[in-house]
Amino acid sequence: MGRTAMNTRTLSGITILAAALGAVACSSTAAPTAPLDAPALADAVQLDAVVGHLQELERIATENDGNRALGTAGYDASVDYVAGKLRDAGFDVQTPEFDVTSFDVENASLTVDGAPVELRVLAMSPSTGPDGITARVVRAPADDTPGCEATDYDGLDVAGAVAVVDRGVCPFSVKQQVAAERGAAALLVVNNEPGPLAGGTLGEDGDTLIPAAGVSGDDGTALAGAGSVTLIAETTIEDIRSRNVIAQTATGDTGNVVVVGAHLDSVPDGPGINDNGSGVAAVLETALQLGSDPSVTNAVRFAFWGAEEIGLVGSTRYVESLSDEERNAVALYLNFDMLGSPNPGYLVYDGDDSDAVGAGPGPEGSTAIEQTFRTFFDSRGVAADGTDFDGRSDYGPFVEAGIPAGGVFSGADERKTPDQAGKWGGEADVPFDPDYHSPQDTLGNIDRDALAVTAASVGYGVGTFAQSLDGVPTGAARDQERSGN
């Protein structure tokens, strides 16, 4: 990611140095001379520097078949770029490897009563083979648990058929498993919003079951009355190794580590500049402005995850690799995934479940994280909304391990409501990111005004929790909370 001309301030000792030095070389560091100040770190994460990183990520994708996906030279170059920047700033950088199953679609098509229909093969779907599957259609009822329970198919002859279910409520892998157990030959998931279903994955276990793909809501309606369909999903699944990038400050309490993460891989279909170059660039710039040995109370660990796009594999492997002592030393996790959506939202993970949507609250301490980011957005004159811990990003394995979590998100394929458009501008009833998981996810489609604010929020969150864990139980207090005593 090439740097741009505008300079930014260093963070180490920023309360003293910012006024004295004005602007110094972008992403430089200095010896710590004063305690960290969260608003100052937020101000130091400048848009031009963040865009400079995005330019480099886009260049890497352009030079490597248009993407930075798992198992590609583009991903390796992304790792080298991020690790190199951190090492140049004085960080001790590790790139731990992990085993992962890669996935590629070689050919895909769907015909309904002889007419072609657009589809998206779900990641990790087993192959139909070149001849595909031709079978009758069985449509599961659109109830409260569409395709999530065996009883959803009661009274239906699913054996040998292509099961069609609505998206929602449970993971795609659960829908696949239920349909497979009832004898279905394949699964089609109908989007519960207008437009094609994008970004779905079955996780690493999907290759043991039946082929699965997604279609739009309109095409789902046509499927309901279809006599037969032919599904071709030629896929390749292989075991490979990938890498995370991990760097930690040399200062701060290593018994209370603030982990800050963003996923580094793109989908194969595009360069992944919003998803998730934007999160990577903001977290990287925050690390560079903080410096490797800042004056902080708590150590800060920066993580750039691999293989997120096929099921949060890098972050999951990392959490699984931690000993009990190491896991207990992680005070909290901050996640940043998609910060510059073209039709942006200002969304903070709903740590206390005050929205009562989807999953429940995060582990104890997640409420304090949510409130910290809301305070930041209030200071910028933005009324943020909550967003559910729906399991679609790398906070998932941390939440599952009982680690407080939170972060900021500008929206993916969900549609902006009229109320949100009234608060933030943009277009109502249009996805936050119309370019999600597509070749159009480029720097030219980033909303830079939104990115300036959301990137600064990374600095604010890091600066806040690096100095204080107020509201976040640690040590014995967290052990007591987990045990319910």
Side-chain angles (χ1 to χ4, degrees):
M1 295 179 270
R3 306 312 300 270
T4 54
M6 182 175 178
N7 292 328
T8 59
R9 297 167 289 174
T10 59
L11 210 295
S12 300
I14 193 167
T15 53
I16 293 175
L17 295 177
L21 301 182
V24 297
C26 188
S27 293
S28 61
T29 59
T33 58
L36 180 65
D37 177 70
L41 180 53
D43 289 343
V45 182
Q46 292 282 311
L47 176 63
D48 278 17
V50 173
V51 169
H53 297 309
L54 293 180
Q55 289 172 333
E56 284 300 296
L57 289 179
E58 188 162 80
R59 177 190 61 77
I60 287 169
T62 299
E63 293 176 358
N64 291 279
D65 298 322
N67 69 77
R68 301 178 300 101
L70 168 68
T72 67
Y75 183 72
D76 287 339
S78 300
V79 168
D80 292 344
Y81 176 76
V82 170
K85 285 292 183 182
L86 291 166
R87 290 190 178 109
D88 289 347
F91 284 93
D92 177 17
V93 181
Q94 306 296 320
T95 57
E97 293 187 343
F98 57 90
D99 294 323
V100 62
T101 304
S102 71
F103 174 77
D104 185 54
V105 178
E106 299 174 359
N107 183 32
S109 65
L110 177 67
T111 56
V112 179
D113 290 335
V117 170
E118 181 180 4
L119 88 160
R120 303 282 178 90
V121 178
L122 297 183
M124 306 310 296
S125 168
S127 181
T128 63
D131 296 332
I133 295 170
T134 299
R136 57 192 172 81
V137 172
V138 172
R139 184 71 158 91
D143 60 12
D144 292 337
T145 60
C148 299
E149 300 174 355
T151 54
D152 293 334
Y153 294 101
D154 281 354
L156 300 175
D157 181 12
V158 186
V162 173
V164 178
V165 301
D166 288 332
R167 179 183 185 179
V169 182
C170 63
F172 297 122
S173 58
V174 173
K175 297 177 187 291
Q176 179 204 39
Q177 181 176 0
V178 170
E181 290 174 349
R182 294 298 297 260
L187 175 72
L188 293 175
V189 181
V190 178
N191 202 3
N192 53 9
E193 297 178 345
L197 188 151
T201 181
L202 297 167
E204 289 193 283
D205 296 329
D207 61 308
T208 63
L209 298 172
I210 57 176
V215 299
S216 71
D218 288 342
D219 290 329
T221 301
L223 277 171
S228 67
V229 299
T230 297
L231 170 67
I232 297 175
E234 286 190 83
T235 63
T236 301
I237 299 172
E238 62 179 339
D239 293 330
I240 62 172
R241 293 183 70 78
S242 189
R243 296 181 288 168
N244 294 323
V245 179
I246 309 291
Q248 183 168 307
T249 58
T251 49
D253 181 6
T254 57
N256 285 309
V257 181
V258 175
V259 181
V260 188
H263 77 83
L264 185 53
D265 59 320
S266 76
V267 294
D269 290 337
I273 300 306
N274 187 39
D275 183 18
N276 180 38
S278 59
V280 167
V283 172
L284 176 60
E285 187 59 25
T286 297
L288 299 179
Q289 291 300 323
L290 179 66
S292 60
D293 59 349
S295 180
V296 292
T297 303
N298 308 306
V300 182
R301 183 178 304 156
F302 296 96
F304 302 86
W305 309 117
E308 187 270 357
E309 292 291 2
I310 66 163
L312 321 181
V313 180
S315 56
T316 299
R317 294 285 188 271
Y318 180 78
V319 172
E320 291 173 346
S321 75
L322 299 175
S323 67
D324 289 345
E325 182 180 2
E326 291 168 334
R327 186 174 62 252
N328 289 336
V330 176
L332 56 83
Y333 175 67
L334 305 179
N335 190 71
F336 301 97
D337 188 353
M338 303 180 66
L339 299 182
S341 300
N343 187 33
Y346 297 88
L347 304 168
V348 175
Y349 289 109
D350 184 16
D352 60 2
D353 196 32
S354 56
D355 294 342
V357 173
E364 185 68 23
S366 301
T367 298
I369 300 172
E370 177 186 1
Q371 187 54 54
T372 293
F373 286 114
R374 287 186 179 274
T375 297
F376 168 79
F377 283 113
D378 286 345
S379 75
R380 297 298 177 100
V382 177
D385 278 358
T387 187
D388 182 41
F389 281 122
D390 61 5
R392 290 180 63 179
S393 194
D394 291 298
Y395 54 78
F398 289 88
V399 169
E400 187 174 348
I403 295 169
V408 173
F409 176 47
S410 64
D413 50 347
E414 307 88 348
R415 292 178 177 263
K416 180 179 284 188
T417 68
D419 178 64
Q420 290 170 332
K423 288 194 299 183
W424 305 326
E427 297 183 66
D429 300 319
V430 171
F432 291 110
D433 187 355
D435 307 309
Y436 179 63
H437 283 187
S438 79
Q440 287 71 50
D441 184 7
T442 63
L443 182 56
N445 288 322
I446 288 283
D447 188 299
R448 298 194 183 198
D449 290 338
L451 181 60
V453 177
T454 56
S457 77
V458 181
Y460 187 85
V462 171
T464 297
F465 293 110
Q467 291 299 72
S468 172
L469 295 172
D470 287 350
V472 179
T474 59
R478 191 159 83 188
D479 290 342
Q480 186 176 31
E481 177 65 32
R482 284 173 175 168
S483 65
N485 295 327

